Amino acid sequence: MANHVLLNNVEHKNLKIQPELVTQPYQQAMCIPVYPAEARLAQAHYPLLFARNEQGAFQLVALTGVKQGENVFIKAGQWDAPYRPLVVEKGPFLIGRNAPDSEQLSIHVDMDHPCVSEEHGEPVFLSHGGNTDYIDHIGNILSTLHENQPKHQLLVDLCDELQLIESMVLDIEHPGQSPHRLSGFFTINEEALAALGGEQLNLLHEQGLLEIVYMLLASQAQINTLMHRRADRRET
């Protein structure tokens, strides 16, 4: 159960973050939300797909496993990839409003997150109350995530409008094991993309989305990487 509170340098002067525990809530996540600003880095390591969120809307995700409760990018309890999605990297922090009727946004912290401590880890505040480089870095991550919400929605809306999103089914077989079918995810329809006219392509380009769409297509090559990771885990 999350316990979100407004971060401040008085009540939380001794707050520390244990880096080795930051990823713990995602260690059994088969997919993790990602956003347009990180597509270039994420596509080099993960298949980037669309999935339906709890409200039924499309959310761009990095695929990290092929079954519920499986994340093949975890090794010996630690994240085993050069790039971690921003929602993982931010740890227990999030942007929230100071009050329900306030427009001002501030950093909040989940005090029940397993990485939060007062004894061990990376300090959030300096001894005189100023910000550490760590919390400034977290602030930049949170700003990026917040500012990317409209662009993510535009990506979903335009891809849907241009009929570029199609469902994906992946049949997985391992020797000596029952076949498994991965479903419930969506990808870019390459034929539909190739059939777009100049005006439609220009629309995607003007919105800064055409490059991202091609990155999503390119990321499908990482499905093989994911499957090799999965096979290696079963052999060890």
Side-chain angles (χ1 to χ4, degrees):
M1 186 80 178
N3 177 21
H4 297 156
V5 298
L6 180 65
L7 182 68
N8 68 82
N9 60 5
V10 176
E11 293 180 55
H12 306 121
K13 63 181 180 179
N14 298 318
L15 188 70
K16 296 179 174 63
I17 303 300
Q18 302 175 83
E20 69 276 10
L21 299 180
V22 164
T23 66
Q24 191 165 326
Y26 295 95
Q27 291 197 359
Q28 294 182 318
M30 69 178 291
C31 66
I32 295 168
V34 292
Y35 291 87
E38 58 185 325
R40 181 183 295 275
L41 293 174
Q43 62 88 28
H45 305 283
Y46 312 97
L48 303 184
L49 306 170
F50 292 103
R52 296 281 190 184
N53 62 22
E54 293 178 356
Q55 290 74 41
F58 283 122
Q59 168 68 55
L60 188 61
V61 298
L63 191 67
T64 51
V66 298
K67 288 185 177 181
Q68 292 294 335
E70 176 183 80
N71 183 342
V72 301
F73 290 87
I74 298 298
K75 185 176 183 180
Q78 298 300 311
W79 203 277
D80 182 37
Y83 180 79
R84 299 191 300 198
L86 293 180
V87 297
V88 176
E89 195 70 22
K90 72 180 181 62
F93 301 99
L94 66 156
I95 280 186
R97 301 191 185 280
N98 290 357
D101 58 348
S102 172
E103 293 299 317
Q104 186 175 356
L105 298 175
S106 298
I107 297 178
H108 288 59
V109 58
D110 177 8
M111 297 300 293
D112 288 345
H113 193 288
C115 75
V116 171
S117 173
E118 289 196 347
E119 288 82 33
H120 309 288
E122 191 79 27
V124 172
F125 295 109
L126 300 171
S127 57
H128 58 74
N131 287 354
T132 61
D133 290 342
Y134 174 76
I135 196 61
D136 283 342
H137 172 63
I138 293 298
N140 289 333
I141 291 176
L142 294 176
S143 293
T144 299
L145 288 171
H146 180 70
E147 292 166 1
N148 257 238
Q149 299 296 327
K151 191 167 185 177
H152 177 272
Q153 189 59 53
L154 185 60
L155 172 68
V156 167
D157 289 345
L158 281 180
C159 285
D160 199 22
E161 178 184 329
L162 296 173
Q163 299 182 341
L164 296 180
I165 300 177
E166 66 173 352
S167 62
M168 185 193 81
V169 174
L170 183 63
D171 289 318
I172 301 162
E173 295 186 6
H174 286 291
Q177 297 180 17
S178 301
H180 172 68
R181 170 165 286 191
L182 176 69
S183 60
F185 292 92
F186 303 80
T187 188
I188 296 295
N189 184 318
E190 193 167 359
E191 292 183 0
L193 178 62
L196 292 182
E199 184 176 342
Q200 295 166 315
L201 289 171
N202 192 52
L203 175 61
L204 286 169
H205 174 69
E206 287 178 343
Q207 298 297 333
L209 298 176
L210 184 58
E211 183 180 19
I212 293 171
V213 168
Y214 280 115
M215 286 179 187
L216 302 191
L217 270 178
S219 78
Q220 292 182 19
Q222 303 305 331
I223 291 177
N224 287 333
T225 302
L226 187 150
M227 298 309 298
H228 285 310
R229 280 179 170 270
R230 192 168 189 263
D232 289 344
R233 281 168 53 121
R234 292 184 174 276
E235 290 173 2
T236 58

